[in-house]
Amino acid sequence: MAIGRIGIYALLLAFAAVYLMPLYVMVMTSLKDIEEIRQGNLLSLPESPTFYAWVKAWGSACTGSECEGLAPFFFNSIRIVVPAVLISTLIGALNGYVLAKWKFRGSELLFGALLFGCFIPFQVILLPMARLLATLGLANTVTGLVLVHVIYGIAFTTLFFRNFYVSVPNELVKAAQLDGANFFQIFRHIFLPISVPIFTVTIIWQFTQIWNDFLFGVVYSGPGTQPITVALNNLVNTSVGGKEYNVDMAAALIAALPTLVVYVLAGKYFVRGLTAGAVKG
Amino acid sequence: MGSLTISNVTKTFGSTEVLKGINIDIADGEFLILVGPSGCGKSTLMNTIAGLEDVSSGQLLLANEDVTDRSPKDRDIAMVFQSYALYPTMNVARNISFGLEMRGVPKAERDRKVEEVSTLLQINHLLDRKPSQLSGGQRQRVAMGRALARSPRVYLFDEPLSNLDAKLRVEMRTEIKKLHKRLGTTIVYVTHDQIEAMTLADRIAVMKDGLVQQLGTPNEIYDDPANQFVAGFMGSPPMNFVPCEVAEDGSIAIRNRGAVVSLKVPQSDHLKGQDVRKVILGLRPEMITEPKPERSGEWIVNMTMDFDVTEPMGADTIAIGEWNDVEVLARLSPEAGLSAGENTSVQVDLSKACLFDPKSGERVR
């Protein structure tokens, strides 16, 4: 029994170490100066920790011809992600509410078609979407990127909310109808308050997807609207003199930080939300 | 104020006809119960009254106004659901007042109404709780409170007691009856429990296959069923059905303990001249009892029966014998039940015997 326990924990610790190793190397490397990195000791602690690389990655590293660091792109990403997440989540909530509780002729078919949207590879829509954005005059704009992400996200957000709302008893809708509530009042007073877990799941999912997106970001953005993923790529590929691994690592960590923070803050609710349908509340 | 007329209502889902033309007149203040086996259309009828389902054809009049095409909220009807359907994130007070809130009733009046209803139902101490913190019986009361708060013209109850345990069910049954006496509002109540139906109803509508088989007072339904289905559905233990031959003189023959007994029933004179050869005799178990010397009359017959099994139920004992190779239940007093076995003397009261056509199941009168 005790020996079995020890074995299990040893194995778990070993796996955790394997998974955390890259993060450890990144953090350590970002805190070293370039001389120390050249000595080639990846796993050692920094001799004299310095935030030089972080400061440079944020404020003055070169991403192509400009040398303003990641900061402007970080805020580009924020400006894309926040509206795209909120809009796609709200539309998904409404869609899911209708598809679960206000079924109409063909609603199942529509849901099936929407599901299909989850399986369309990004590459397939690159050209048609570029044409569409050009026609709408949204090429190379933040609005255009938000639109692309909203459209692409609706399939997933609708799926999440629909499956969550299907488990809500129909009698609740009937009772509210008899109480005199209309379509939106039922959504607002009955469904929204019970939706906290599924909102958390959807927001985390959408935030991660859109923040980490590179392909749409590189294709549909212009010089002033590139998201941080594109800038990170440019930063790593631009070298002035030697390669600054510490700056690259710091930049990668900066780019990954928001999703990490979201998971740490809301991860508990994420797991809870994923299993919420399984338990009657 | 709250009379309800259901006229020629039909409802089809795709190619299935769930309601095949329902006609019921419900008087103001009446307590009407819809009973029937599952799938008979009683819940669908309830939903069409509430406006949650559209009718395929027919008309619904509420207080002589046509409400057929009105949305649920404009019908002034409240409903209590089997699952209670309490709003899970709202506390009891808000659950009760939500309907008033949606109708734009001012806060002060809503509070007054919550106070009034919760006092009536004795749930004042629960007002701040969420539904998940309530027991089954408390949820039931809150669900009723929600319906009461709006003072509608008609209450609909959709199997409200079937999720409660047996003891609580009996308590709430009495409470609902008291409540109806006190409020005097029209109630339409769906159940599949025939005891609930008998005890609560002013009138009962027995439904089967989308049709009303019979509409009448509990006594009419019990003593004078329209057909074999109604007779078998109402009553526990159920009515005995014995297939019998009809003799020339209109009497019917049963084989009991190997001997054929000829029984004269109230319908015999009528049957005499007719070409009816086979009928099903319907006789309630309480019509076969231990001999009661004080009782006599044209339709009282004394005979002996063999009972294979006796089932003591406390107040009386059910004894199971056989006529014409069919099980026959008798309802004996506990004392008589003790000694029931082979060759037991019984008294049969045929005054309320029903005869049914073996093919159609309709009454032969």
Side-chain angles (χ1 to χ4, degrees):
Chain A
M1 168 70 185
I3 294 174
R5 279 278 134 149
I6 293 167
I8 288 170
Y9 279 109
L11 202 64
L12 287 175
L13 282 174
F15 275 115
V18 169
Y19 275 96
L20 287 174
M21 188 59 72
L23 183 66
Y24 171 79
V25 172
M26 283 175 80
V27 174
M28 289 308 126
T29 309
S30 73
L31 295 175
K32 292 171 182 172
D33 63 30
I34 203 73
E35 288 304 319
E36 199 182 339
I37 294 168
R38 290 225 179 85
Q39 293 164 12
N41 204 342
L42 269 181
L43 298 180
S44 68
L45 290 169
E47 281 163 15
S48 51
T50 163
F51 283 97
Y52 158 79
W54 285 78
V55 174
K56 183 169 182 190
W58 179 253
S60 64
C62 295
T63 53
S65 54
E66 295 135 43
C67 296
E68 291 169 2
L70 289 180
F73 305 100
F74 186 91
F75 294 112
N76 280 349
S77 272
I78 298 268
R79 277 190 290 152
I80 295 165
V81 169
V82 171
V85 167
L86 292 183
I87 294 170
S88 61
T89 303
L90 274 179
I91 294 179
L94 267 177
N95 279 354
Y97 169 58
V98 171
L99 290 173
K101 292 294 159 216
W102 298 86
K103 295 203 171 119
F104 48 91
R105 189 181 288 268
S107 62
E108 290 298 305
L109 194 72
L110 183 74
F111 178 58
L114 259 171
L115 267 191
F116 192 66
C118 298
F119 302 108
I120 298 175
F122 281 21
Q123 290 85 344
V124 173
I125 66 153
L126 282 184
L127 279 175
M129 186 55 87
R131 285 290 301 272
L132 179 69
L133 290 179
T135 312
L136 295 174
L138 295 174
N140 302 341
T141 63
V142 166
T143 316
L145 270 168
V146 169
L147 181 70
V148 175
H149 284 299
V150 166
I151 293 173
Y152 223 92
I154 285 175
F156 289 95
T157 56
T158 302
L159 172 70
F160 289 159
F161 278 99
R162 187 264 186 194
N163 287 353
F164 183 78
Y165 289 151
V166 153
S167 65
V168 177
N170 286 329
E171 276 83 18
L172 276 184
V173 180
K174 292 183 181 176
Q177 273 180 290
L178 284 166
D179 268 344
N182 63 29
F183 177 88
F184 283 106
Q185 284 170 326
I186 295 174
F187 183 63
R188 153 105 181 63
H189 294 289
I190 315 290
F191 281 77
L192 276 189
I194 58 174
S195 304
V196 177
I198 197 65
F199 264 100
T200 315
V201 169
T202 310
I203 286 174
I204 292 180
W205 173 269
Q206 282 297 91
F207 185 90
T208 316
Q209 291 294 310
I210 300 174
W211 185 273
N212 288 340
D213 163 70
F214 177 74
L215 190 61
F216 288 157
V218 79
V219 175
Y220 301 128
S221 64
T225 58
Q226 285 170 336
I228 196 164
T229 45
V230 176
L232 175 65
N233 177 63
N234 293 346
L235 182 145
V236 174
N237 288 331
T238 308
S239 51
V240 186
K243 224 175 181 4
E244 290 188 292
Y245 290 108
N246 51 353
V247 178
D248 292 354
M249 293 300 178
L253 284 171
I254 290 171
L257 217 48
T259 46
L260 275 177
V261 168
V262 167
Y263 268 101
V264 169
L265 289 184
K268 195 170 63 180
Y269 300 98
F270 187 69
V271 177
R272 212 180 280 169
L274 284 179
T275 55
V279 192
K280 279 263 167 190
Chain B
M1 264 304 281
S3 70
L4 182 67
T5 306
I6 303 163
S7 105
N8 276 321
V9 164
T10 68
K11 175 71 187 173
T12 50
F13 290 107
S15 59
T16 25
E17 204 174 10
V18 183
L19 299 178
K20 300 173 183 168
I22 305 285
N23 288 293
I24 304 176
D25 270 319
I26 304 162
D28 182 27
E30 188 171 12
F31 198 134
L32 181 95
I33 292 209
L34 299 171
V35 282
S38 30
C40 71
K42 57 191 191 297
S43 288
T44 309
L45 180 60
M46 191 74 124
N47 282 338
T48 57
I49 296 173
L52 297 167
E53 310 247 20
D54 293 329
V55 300
S56 300
S57 70
Q59 223 186 7
L60 285 163
L61 302 180
L62 182 56
N64 298 319
E65 287 172 59
D66 188 346
V67 297
T68 318
D69 297 319
R70 279 199 207 162
S71 67
K73 70 177 161 73
D74 299 325
R75 293 194 182 193
D76 206 4
I77 284 176
M79 187 159 170
V80 177
F81 294 86
Q82 180 178 359
S83 61
Y84 315 137
L86 300 179
Y87 309 127
T89 53
M90 300 179 192
N91 64 20
V92 168
R94 181 120 194 269
N95 259 288
I96 293 174
S97 64
F98 185 70
L100 299 170
E101 186 186 331
M102 288 298 107
R103 285 176 160 73
V105 175
K107 179 92 170 67
E109 199 181 329
R110 296 206 302 259
D111 290 345
R112 197 182 49 74
K113 200 78 199 181
V114 168
E115 175 68 31
E116 180 190 321
V117 166
S118 59
T119 310
L120 179 65
L121 293 170
Q122 296 152 29
I123 47 176
N124 315 51
H125 58 298
L126 304 172
L127 290 177
D128 292 327
R129 299 219 195 143
K130 294 277 172 66
S132 57
Q133 298 164 309
L134 302 175
S135 70
Q138 291 169 334
R139 286 180 204 192
Q140 173 65 52
R141 283 167 193 272
V142 176
M144 281 172 34
R146 188 169 63 181
L148 293 179
R150 274 174 32 215
S151 320
R153 287 193 283 192
V154 175
Y155 292 108
L156 305 179
F157 285 82
D158 189 3
E159 308 212 10
L161 304 183
S162 51
N163 283 354
L164 299 178
D165 63 56
K167 187 165 172 288
L168 207 51
R169 199 178 312 163
V170 175
E171 271 176 44
M172 289 306 288
R173 200 168 72 199
T174 318
E175 200 141 329
I176 289 176
K177 190 154 190 173
K178 278 189 201 153
L179 207 59
H180 177 246
K181 275 234 163 70
R182 187 158 167 183
L183 298 170
T185 312
T186 315
I187 294 182
V188 182
Y189 186 113
V190 164
T191 180
H192 61 260
D193 181 337
Q194 39 99 8
I195 302 203
E196 249 171 71
M198 293 291 294
T199 51
L200 287 175
D202 290 329
R203 280 194 304 161
I204 299 174
V206 184
M207 289 183 66
K208 185 196 172 201
D209 298 337
L211 284 170
V212 174
Q213 303 289 318
Q214 189 173 2
L215 175 63
T217 64
N219 282 338
E220 280 166 16
I221 301 267
Y222 192 77
D223 288 337
D224 192 14
N227 56 38
Q228 196 181 344
F229 172 77
V230 175
F233 191 79
M234 299 302 286
S236 171
M239 187 184 261
N240 295 306
F241 293 119
V242 185
C244 301
E245 305 263 335
V246 181
E248 289 285 333
D249 65 349
S251 66
I252 57 171
I254 56 164
R255 204 168 59 254
N256 178 36
R257 309 182 67 222
V260 174
V261 184
S262 189
L263 296 175
K264 206 160 175 297
V265 289
Q267 295 90 337
S268 286
D269 282 342
H270 181 68
L271 281 173
K272 207 180 324 187
Q274 293 189 24
D275 191 27
V276 184
R277 294 279 66 94
K278 284 189 161 73
V279 291
I280 290 176
L281 166 68
L283 199 60
R284 297 229 175 251
E286 59 266 33
M287 295 294 132
I288 308 175
T289 58
E290 70 279 1
K292 294 176 178 169
E294 75 279 6
R295 229 172 26 168
S296 67
E298 193 179 359
W299 312 115
I300 305 290
V301 179
N302 289 302
M303 60 199 287
T304 56
M305 283 180 75
D306 290 344
F307 292 116
D308 313 324
V309 181
T310 54
E311 296 173 346
M313 312 233 299
D316 41 35
T317 296
I318 303 298
I320 302 170
E322 218 177 69
W323 283 351
N324 288 2
D325 303 325
V326 179
E327 266 188 8
V328 170
L329 276 56
R331 195 166 205 151
L332 310 177
S333 72
E335 299 81 47
L338 280 178
S339 56
E342 292 203 356
N343 207 1
T344 308
S345 297
V346 294
Q347 192 173 62
V348 181
D349 180 355
L350 290 166
S351 62
K352 285 181 178 173
C354 304
L355 299 184
F356 302 99
D357 183 312
K359 287 201 187 71
S360 66
E362 292 303 314
R363 275 287 285 275
V364 177
R365 289 173 194 271

